[in-house]
């Protein structure tokens, strides 16, 4: 078998990432050696592979669904927004520079098509099947000429395309029809059909519409996936969604101790790797919310300042909103604060940044004895260490180099009293360390909170991935899906006018 499939969507956030992961897990359970692929990803949530390459976290999660190690070939182009109009371009796991959206779509993107097709060919030569994820919508006609992630890659590699639509948003039939009708004839010939996502209710009420859609477009629906809570793992883009007030979904289980533990995450601009707090939200009795006002820190037992692609900008934002003063008061009162990556950097004494913001010397919050200098070379590592008597694994993604000049050592960073800072992402996924850290936080906060003794974040992640695989297995036509992956799009699919404009 040398199969492939492109999972496209009618919109951003239609469910492409989780559907791709679900198909991957279903195939693995059938004994297929499978890999994920996304030619171009725009995300502030990234991961470091064992060879030291930076890729999107969604592709790392999909690799886990495939039960394989992630590699740079699974996400050859990663764009990390630095604002509304520019992004850092990461090529095959390494940053190659900043570029405006106009400059990228004006020619650079088109020249990368050969690179992404080579990466896809490398994977297809190694695995039985490669399940590819698109980006946004394939019907973005203003970008089709330079597209390398949707129909550009589908046509270049002759991949069949499955279009996912989020019915929870409404208008899914119009979205399916319009997506196909705005594609060129050569692209339409690769669109095999549809997959409905997040359906609530009686499927029999939907079936007449699916039959009419088949009659209108000549393309079938390969499944109707029901709505399920808690499947939004490893989100891609922290820019598109306002996280203010959002509460991360926690395990539906009562706290082990008498109290809950409240965690407030400062929703800083260009927030990156906010998935760091998922392991906390997985603990029974831990409530995690994102905040942007100082009064929202008042009842928090732990405040986290997360990573960001704009450390200096985030520092200014904290000061403008009064959050900087609130953090300083917490530190003085020995109330727990944790800074991760960019959040760690801005807790320090000062920052020299001629790389990210080009702001030069900037005073930090002065809560930790740390001096930060931004280097042009990005640090990409997978460190292993020990803290609070427990083994810890993590990963680092940063330009800022920290010189620690005091305090107690903590994961290559430091702590002073109840203010902690580290460059390590993912440290809270180490179960023993997370429990030890939460015990310290609870004691400092005066809470009678007790971490659950048996919460395994890795096991919970596996359960999530199995749930995705179950959705495909139980609610998709897997026989037809198998034929599509193995043999490609059906021949003779009709053209739906008007097609893409010239």
């Amino acid at each position: 078998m040398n199969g492939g499939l492109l999972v496209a969507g009618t919109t951003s956030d239609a469910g492409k990432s989780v559907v791709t992961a679900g198909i991957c897990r279903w195939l693995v359970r059938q004994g297929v050696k499978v890999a994920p692929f996304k030619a171009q990803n725009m995300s502030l949530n990234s991961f470091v592979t064992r060879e030291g390459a930076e890729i999107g976290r969604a592709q790392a999660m999909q690799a886990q669904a495939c039960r394989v190690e992630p590699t740079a070939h699974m996400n050859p182009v990663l764009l990390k927004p630095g604002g509304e109009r520019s992004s850092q371009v990461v090529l095959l796991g390494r940053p190659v520079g900043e570029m405006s959206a106009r400059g990228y779509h004006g020619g650079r993107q088109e020249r990368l098509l050969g690179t992404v097709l080579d990466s896809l060919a490398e994977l297809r030569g190694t695995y039985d099947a490669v399940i590819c994820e698109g980006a946004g919508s394939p019907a973005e006609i203003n970008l089709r000429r330079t597209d390398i992630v949707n129909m550009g890659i589908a046509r270049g590699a002759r991949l069949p395309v499955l279009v996912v639509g989020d019915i929870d948003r409404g208008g899914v039939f119009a979205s399916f029809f319009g997506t196909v009708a705005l594609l060129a004839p050569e692209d339409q010939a690769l669109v095999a059909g549809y997959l409905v996502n997040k359906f609530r209710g009686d499927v029999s009420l939907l079936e007449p519409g699916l039959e009419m859609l088949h009659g209108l477009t000549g393309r079938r629906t390969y499944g109707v996936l029901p709505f399920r809570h808690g499947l939004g793992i490893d989100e891609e883009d922290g820019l598109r969604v306002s996280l203010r007030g959002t509460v991360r979904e926690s395990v539906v289980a009562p706290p082990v101790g008498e109290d809950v533990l409240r965690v407030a995450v400062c929703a800083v601009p260009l927030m990156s790797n906010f998935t760091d707090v998922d392991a906390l939200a997985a603990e029974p009795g831990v409530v995690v919310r994102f905040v942007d006002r100082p009064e929202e820190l008042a009842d928090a037992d732990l405040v986290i300042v997360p990573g960001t692609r704009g450390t200096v900008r985030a520092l200014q934002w904290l000061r403008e909103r009064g959050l900087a003063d609130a953090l300083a008061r917490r530190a003085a009162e020995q109330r727990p604060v944790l800074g991760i990556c960019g959040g760690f950097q801005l807790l320090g004494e000062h920052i020299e940044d001629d790389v990210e913001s080009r702001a030069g010397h900037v005073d930090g919050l002065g809560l930790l004895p740390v001096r930060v200098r931004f280097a042009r070379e990005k640090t990409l590592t997978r460190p292993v260490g020990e803290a609070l008597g427990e083994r810890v694994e993590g990963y680092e993604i940063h330009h800022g180099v920290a010189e620690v000049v005091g305090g107690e050592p903590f994961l290559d960073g430091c702590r002073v009293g109840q203010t902690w800072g580290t460059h390590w992402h993912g440290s809270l996924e180490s179960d023993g360390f997370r429990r030890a850290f939460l015990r310290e936080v609870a004691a400092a906060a005066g809470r009678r909170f007790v971490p659950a003794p048996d919460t395994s974040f890795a096991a919970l992640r596996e359960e999530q991935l199995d749930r995705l695989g179950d959705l495909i297995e139980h609610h998709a036509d897997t026989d037809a899906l198998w034929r599509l992956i193995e043999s490609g799009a059906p021949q003779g699919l009709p053209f739906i006018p008007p097609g893409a404009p010239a």
Side-chain angles (χ1 to χ4, degrees):
M1 180 180 183
N2 183 19
L5 175 70
L6 175 69
V7 178
T10 56
T11 62
S12 298
D13 299 320
K16 297 182 293 291
S17 294
V18 293
V19 167
T20 299
I23 294 173
C24 287
R25 178 50 61 99
W26 163 67
L27 285 171
V28 164
R29 296 196 303 210
Q30 310 310 306
V32 178
K33 187 180 178 184
V34 60
F37 178 79
K38 185 162 186 173
Q40 172 194 292
N41 198 347
M42 177 173 279
S43 179
L44 288 170
N45 286 333
S46 57
F47 183 75
V48 179
T49 68
R50 292 207 180 278
E51 69 266 28
E54 184 180 8
I55 65 171
R57 272 201 67 97
Q59 279 60 66
M61 176 267 291
Q62 291 162 357
Q64 186 176 346
C66 296
R67 298 186 178 132
V68 298
E69 275 291 324
T71 72
H73 287 303
M74 295 174 183
N75 178 206
V77 180
L78 173 64
L79 305 179
K80 302 195 73 175
E84 294 297 327
R85 296 187 178 183
S86 67
S87 294
Q88 182 181 65
V89 181
V90 179
L91 182 61
L92 292 173
R94 297 288 173 181
V96 294
E98 296 279 336
M99 186 165 289
S100 69
R102 181 177 292 276
Y104 185 68
H105 290 288
R108 178 66 183 270
Q109 183 183 34
E110 197 172 10
R111 292 195 296 272
L112 292 174
L113 181 59
T115 300
V116 300
L117 286 172
D118 287 346
S119 286
L120 178 56
E122 176 75 19
L123 293 175
R124 297 188 80 176
T126 306
Y127 294 89
D128 299 329
V130 179
I131 307 302
C132 308
E133 178 188 344
S137 163
E140 291 168 351
I141 53 179
N142 56 315
L143 302 177
R144 176 62 185 91
R145 182 180 62 82
T146 58
D147 170 46
I148 64 170
V149 65
N150 289 307
M151 300 314 300
I153 195 77
R155 203 192 295 189
R158 304 306 300 168
L159 292 171
V161 179
L162 187 67
V163 181
V164 177
D166 180 356
I167 197 170
D168 203 43
R169 297 178 176 212
V172 74
F173 294 117
S175 297
F176 282 144
F177 184 90
T179 296
V180 177
L182 279 178
L183 299 179
E186 298 85 354
D187 291 342
Q188 287 194 23
L190 297 172
V191 178
Y194 319 104
L195 189 74
V196 177
N197 192 29
K198 296 185 183 179
F199 180 73
R200 306 171 191 249
D202 185 348
V203 176
S204 66
L205 298 177
L206 189 66
E207 287 172 351
L210 299 178
E211 291 173 6
M212 284 186 274
L213 183 67
H214 185 215
L216 288 165
T217 68
R219 290 159 175 86
R220 56 166 299 170
T221 298
Y222 283 75
V224 177
L225 307 185
F227 184 92
R228 291 288 185 266
H229 285 285
L231 292 180
I233 51 179
D234 288 2
E235 291 95 334
E236 287 195 349
D237 195 344
L239 279 182
R240 265 199 316 269
V241 182
S242 171
L243 294 170
R244 194 199 127 359
T246 299
V247 178
R248 302 294 281 181
E249 289 199 47
S250 301
V251 173
V252 183
V256 175
E258 297 179 43
D259 287 344
V260 298
L261 210 61
R262 295 174 176 84
V263 179
V265 184
C266 295
V268 296
L270 299 175
M271 181 165 43
S272 61
N273 285 68
F274 57 83
T275 49
D276 282 335
V277 302
D278 284 353
L280 293 179
E283 284 284 349
V286 175
V287 179
V288 180
R289 58 196 175 113
F290 290 84
V291 303
D292 62 4
R293 295 184 300 215
E295 55 268 27
E296 293 176 298
L297 305 188
D299 66 344
D301 303 306
L302 168 66
V303 174
I304 294 178
V305 188
T308 170
R309 255 277 284 157
T311 300
V312 171
R313 178 175 167 184
L315 184 57
Q316 180 182 6
W317 181 86
L318 290 169
R319 286 180 167 135
E320 289 171 349
R321 288 180 171 260
L323 286 160
D325 290 338
L327 289 169
R329 286 194 297 271
R330 286 188 67 92
E333 294 166 0
Q334 296 296 305
R335 301 178 67 197
V337 175
L338 171 64
I340 302 174
C341 199
F344 164 47
Q345 294 166 7
L346 59 81
L347 294 180
E349 296 172 354
H350 68 254
I351 298 167
E352 289 288 341
D353 182 10
D354 295 318
V355 175
E356 190 175 78
S357 68
R358 298 180 175 85
H361 179 93
V362 178
D363 290 332
L365 297 185
L367 306 185
L368 289 174
V370 176
R371 300 161 188 166
V372 176
R373 175 185 56 82
F374 272 68
R376 297 199 177 277
E377 187 72 20
K378 183 183 280 192
T379 297
L380 296 167
T381 63
R382 292 272 292 269
V384 177
E386 185 175 302
L388 303 179
E390 300 287 347
R391 185 177 187 274
V392 189
E393 296 184 22
Y395 57 99
E396 295 186 46
I397 306 169
H398 54 91
H399 284 280
V401 178
E403 179 191 2
V404 179
V405 294
E408 300 176 46
F410 173 66
L411 299 180
D412 293 341
C414 67
R415 68 175 289 193
V416 173
Q418 289 301 319
T419 302
W420 316 63
T422 177
H423 272 132
W424 292 24
H425 294 290
S427 63
L428 294 167
E429 296 180 18
S430 298
D431 297 327
F433 166 70
R434 182 180 65 254
R435 287 191 277 268
F437 179 68
L438 289 176
R439 282 192 291 269
E440 287 242 1
V441 168
R447 296 287 185 188
R448 289 173 293 183
F449 169 85
V450 178
D454 55 354
T455 300
S456 167
F457 185 73
L460 289 171
R461 175 56 56 82
E462 278 295 302
E463 289 175 15
Q464 288 271 53
L465 294 172
D466 277 331
R467 289 177 66 196
L468 295 177
D470 291 344
L471 280 177
I472 298 300
E473 186 171 341
H474 299 152
H475 300 283
D477 185 339
T478 52
D479 288 340
L481 195 57
W482 184 282
R483 290 192 297 272
L484 188 62
I485 294 169
E486 191 172 36
S487 304
Q491 297 296 309
L493 292 169
F495 170 70
I496 309 301

